[in-house]
């Protein structure tokens, strides 16, 4: 579990409004001077987002299992001057190419994950995590390899040490051929191909070249997140997306600003046979250069950054999904930049929803409550990422300081917070015929708009027992007034290994008291 940081906002200029001249007057720039896109761009983005759920992807690369051991440091070891971490729990999540594939599922689409693993327990764990997340996975077993496992030891949400277990190096000729043949089988039923190279060896030898050749012949665009400094491995790719360190290694040019970023991208296109370069520049945004085209800079600023892990995965997956949904490459890059700005405010490797993208791009100013089926889909993704899921509930008739205090405290003790909201009928049964003051959709939307709420859902029963049984949260939050009383769902949560947390209340604040003051009573 990690403490959350919120309020990530990215502002962009209209696609048609280029401002602030750079050293190259032909370079195009999206900057933060305008918070809205032009109407045509908005329409295109909205249409593209609507189509993300239909995108089918083939993701090939290095699959990783991330293991997190949570604990706290209470003393220094008497054996050596090192901290002793008292472990309190552990969780597993999909990483590497698997994290790229998860984004397509999070957007409502589908992905097939192809790569290598060992013949070991971690391979079985990887397959199980993928199945739970809704990923189709073809992990070709190589008994001579170990499935890559990254173990991170955490204390008070800070990483103390990382331990890697892996086998690297190119696959044997026979296994490489199996990878190529497997990729060929999947090409006919996907819209886009992503090569996710984490340097573990899956894409070495002839694998990347053969897959790219077959994909281009089949009319499928190929997007690459590279690791090597020799982009010749990716010749023929539609787009290669290095970061600043990787472009420096490949070209010898440090991308410190727009002008040097453009020079580095041009050098890469001159040196390597690829159609376009998308340079990810961390807090400086992105630079896109197509062969024979002008540089296109997208600048964004995340106001709060929690964790940059997996931001490159988010960028390449979202750009690829955007192009596959029919967006021009420039708008797909805009979408990928917005997505990366959202996930860096989340702990660890994380995905995001189409709704979050709509909100960040001002396409949907208000979040909407979710149906149970949609909520369960989102929970499945969160659980596959190893996130701690919290749940609380209430009527929230007139949102007041007590509500805000409780919700904020709950959000600080989990990674994602789900809030159940009583329906109008349920509220009348509990509160009487004069309540609620506001209808259920208004109440649920107000809750969903709060930064520390990740999802709201309306329930019609008198208690949230059915929701809790379906969602199986890791943390169940109630007010301190429930001390010594039965908390609905507590038995289900604790039996599943979760915890019940009672939150302190703000004295003298309630909806009933507020209503009385309004009525002058």
């Amino acid at each position: 579990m990690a403490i959350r940081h919120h309020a990530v906002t990215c502002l962009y200029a209209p696609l048609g409004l280029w401002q602030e001249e750079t050293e190259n007057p032909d370079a195009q720039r999206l900057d933060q001077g305008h918070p809205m896109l032009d109407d045509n761009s908005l329409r295109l983005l909205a249409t593209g987002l609507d189509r993300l759920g239909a995108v089918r992807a083939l993701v090939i690369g290095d699959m990783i299992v991330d293991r997190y051991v949570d604990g706290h440091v209470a003393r220094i070891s008497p054996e050596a001057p090192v901290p002793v971490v008292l472990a309190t729990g552990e969780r597993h999540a999909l990483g590497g190419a698997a994290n790229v594939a998860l984004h397509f599922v999070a957007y409502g689409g589908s992905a097939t994950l192809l790569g290598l693993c060992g013949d070991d327990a971690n391979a079985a764990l990887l397959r199980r995590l993928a199945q739970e997340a809704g990923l189709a996975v073809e992990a070709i077993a190589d008994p001579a390899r170990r499935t890559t496992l990254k173990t991170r030891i955490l204390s008070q949400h800070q990483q103390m040490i990382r331990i890697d277990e892996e086998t690297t190096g190119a696959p044997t000729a026979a296994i490489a051929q199996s990878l190529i043949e497997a990729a060929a089988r999947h090409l006919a039923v996907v819209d886009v191909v992503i090569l996710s190279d984490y340097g573990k060896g899956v894409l070495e030898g002839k694998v990347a070249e053969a897959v790219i050749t077959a994909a281009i012949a089949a009319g499928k665009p190929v997007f690459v997140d590279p690791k090597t400094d020799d982009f010749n491995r990716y010749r023929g790719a539609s787009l290669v997306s290095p970061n600043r360190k990787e472009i420096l290694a490949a070209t010898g040019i440090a991308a410190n600003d727009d002008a040097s970023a453009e020079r580095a991208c041009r050098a890469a296109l001159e040196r390597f046979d690829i159609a376009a370069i998308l340079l990810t520049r961390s807090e400086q945004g992105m630079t896109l250069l197509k062969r024979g085209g002008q540089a296109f800079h997208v600048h964004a600023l995340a106001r709060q950054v929690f964790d940059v892990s997996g931001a490159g995965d988010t960028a390449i997956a979202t750009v690829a999904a955007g192009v596959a949904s029919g967006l021009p490459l420039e708008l797909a890059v805009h979408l990928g930049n917005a997505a990366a700005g959202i996930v860096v405010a989340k702990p660890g490797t994380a995905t995001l929803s189409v709704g979050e993208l709509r909100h960040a791009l001002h396409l949907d100013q208000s979040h909407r409550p979710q149906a149970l089926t949609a909520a369960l889909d989102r929970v499945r993704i969160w659980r596959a990422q190893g996130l701690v899921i919290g749940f609380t509930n209430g009527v929230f008739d007139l949102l007041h300081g007590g509500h805000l205090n409780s919700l904020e405290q709950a959000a600080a003790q989990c990674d994602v917070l789900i809030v159940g909201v009583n329906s109008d009928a349920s509220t009348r049964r509990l509160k009487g015929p004069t309540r609620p003051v506001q209808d259920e959709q208004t109440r649920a939307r107000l809750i969903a708009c709060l930064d520390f709420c990740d999802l709201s859902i309306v329930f019609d029963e008198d208690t949230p027992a059915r929701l809790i049984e379906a969602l199986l949260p890791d943390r169940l939050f109630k007010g301190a007034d429930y001390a010594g009383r039965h908390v609905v769902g507590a038995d289900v949560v604790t039996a599943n290994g979760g915890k019940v947390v009672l939150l302190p209340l703000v004295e003298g604040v309630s909806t009933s008291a507020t209503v009385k003051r309004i009525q002058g009573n």
Side-chain angles (χ1 to χ4, degrees):
M1 183 180 70
I3 297 174
R4 310 169 350 152
H5 291 256
H6 298 281
V8 174
T9 301
C10 302
L11 303 179
Y12 308 89
L15 281 173
L17 300 179
W18 313 116
Q19 54 193 329
E20 294 191 27
E21 293 185 1
T22 63
E23 293 182 22
N24 179 1
D26 295 326
Q28 297 178 333
R29 180 176 182 180
L30 279 176
D31 209 341
Q32 297 179 176
H34 297 267
M36 297 294 288
L37 293 163
D38 62 30
D39 289 343
N40 184 56
S41 298
L42 284 170
R43 284 193 293 270
L44 287 172
L45 273 175
T47 300
L49 286 170
D50 287 341
R51 293 173 177 168
L52 285 186
V55 174
R56 302 162 300 173
L58 172 62
V59 180
I60 308 170
D62 300 299
M63 303 181 294
I64 296 170
V65 176
D66 289 321
R67 176 174 176 250
Y68 299 89
V69 178
D70 298 303
H72 64 269
V73 174
R75 61 193 177 95
I76 301 298
S77 171
E79 303 167 356
V82 295
V84 176
V85 178
L86 179 63
T88 57
E90 69 175 64
R91 51 203 163 90
H92 295 87
L94 293 169
N99 185 51
V100 175
L102 279 175
H103 284 74
F104 292 90
V105 177
Y107 292 147
S110 62
T112 297
L113 178 63
L114 174 61
L116 299 181
C117 64
D119 185 12
D120 51 28
N122 289 326
L125 175 59
L126 186 149
R127 292 188 177 95
R128 178 175 65 79
L129 291 172
Q131 182 180 25
E132 290 174 354
L135 285 179
V137 59
E138 185 166 351
I140 297 175
D142 180 354
R145 300 179 79 93
R146 286 189 295 177
T147 304
T148 300
L149 176 71
K150 295 182 180 180
T151 300
R152 296 168 176 87
I153 311 297
L154 308 175
S155 174
Q156 280 80 49
H157 321 298
Q158 299 298 315
Q159 187 173 154
M160 306 295 292
I161 193 171
R162 193 181 93 184
I163 304 167
D164 289 2
E165 302 172 46
E166 61 185 10
T167 301
T168 60
T172 64
I175 290 178
Q177 186 60 35
S178 296
L179 282 167
I180 294 167
E181 291 173 358
R185 289 197 305 272
H186 294 295
L187 282 176
V189 294
V190 299
D191 305 301
V192 63
V193 178
I194 300 95
L195 304 187
S196 179
D197 194 344
Y198 269 76
K200 310 303 180 187
V202 171
L203 295 172
E204 291 184 16
K206 298 294 184 181
V207 174
E209 182 180 350
V211 170
I212 292 171
T213 300
I216 297 303
K220 313 294 182 178
V222 181
F223 295 78
V224 180
D225 190 356
K227 184 59 65 176
T228 178
D229 59 1
D230 182 9
F231 296 171
N232 279 316
R233 178 186 297 177
Y234 317 118
R235 66 173 62 92
S238 309
L239 180 143
V240 174
S241 182
N243 58 28
R244 287 184 293 192
K245 179 180 178 182
E246 290 157 352
I247 199 83
L248 173 62
T251 67
I253 300 173
N256 296 321
D257 53 24
D258 286 357
S260 57
E262 180 179 347
R263 287 197 300 272
C265 289
R266 289 196 182 280
L269 288 182
E270 290 171 2
R271 192 169 302 175
F272 305 110
D273 180 19
I274 50 183
I277 285 281
L278 175 62
L279 173 58
T280 58
R281 298 164 53 194
S282 189
E283 74 282 353
Q284 293 180 348
M286 301 179 179
T287 294
L288 171 69
L289 184 65
K290 295 188 288 188
R291 187 171 296 281
Q294 299 175 354
F296 179 84
H297 305 292
V298 186
H299 286 191
L301 176 66
R303 289 180 180 170
Q304 290 180 317
V305 176
F306 186 93
D307 192 340
V308 297
S309 300
D313 295 342
T314 298
I316 195 71
T318 307
V319 172
V323 169
S325 72
L327 289 177
L329 181 55
E330 290 81 2
L331 264 182
V333 168
H334 185 83
L335 199 65
N337 194 55
I342 294 170
V343 298
V344 295
K346 299 184 178 186
T349 54
T351 60
L352 68 159
S353 66
V354 172
E356 288 175 284
L357 273 172
R358 288 186 184 279
H359 188 69
L361 293 166
H362 306 283
L363 294 173
D364 184 2
Q365 290 291 344
S366 58
H367 289 305
R368 303 278 178 173
Q370 299 292 308
L372 180 57
T373 52
L376 289 174
D377 287 341
R378 192 68 188 139
V379 165
R380 186 177 69 247
I381 298 295
W382 286 334
R383 209 174 295 286
Q385 295 168 355
L387 300 182
V388 175
I389 300 168
F391 177 87
T392 190
N393 67 281
V395 172
F396 305 106
D397 199 356
L398 294 179
L399 201 60
H400 54 66
H403 293 141
L404 296 177
N405 181 67
S406 295
L407 291 171
E408 192 167 26
Q409 288 185 70
Q413 299 182 59
C414 59
D415 294 322
V416 290
L417 179 64
I418 302 171
V419 181
V421 179
N422 289 81
S423 69
D424 291 347
S426 172
T427 302
R428 281 191 292 271
R429 291 194 297 269
L430 296 172
K431 303 287 185 179
T434 62
R435 301 281 296 277
V437 176
Q438 301 187 96
D439 65 85
E440 61 192 46
Q441 286 299 307
T442 298
R443 292 182 284 117
R445 288 177 64 186
L446 284 170
I447 292 295
C449 285
L450 297 173
D451 277 342
F452 33 78
C453 172
D454 295 280
L455 185 152
S456 74
I457 181 169
V458 176
F459 64 96
D460 198 44
E461 298 83 4
D462 289 350
T463 76
R466 182 177 67 94
L467 277 187
I468 294 169
E469 290 173 1
L471 298 169
L472 290 177
D474 304 296
R475 301 288 185 272
L476 176 59
F477 300 101
K478 292 298 289 185
D481 54 335
Y482 272 80
R485 298 165 56 191
H486 172 66
V487 176
V488 171
D491 51 345
V492 173
V493 171
T494 54
N496 196 51
K499 297 179 181 179
V500 178
V501 181
L502 299 184
L503 303 170
L505 302 176
V506 177
E507 294 296 331
V509 179
S510 70
T511 298
S512 298
T514 303
V515 170
K516 288 181 179 179
R517 285 198 300 273
I518 293 172
Q519 294 173 339
N521 297 333

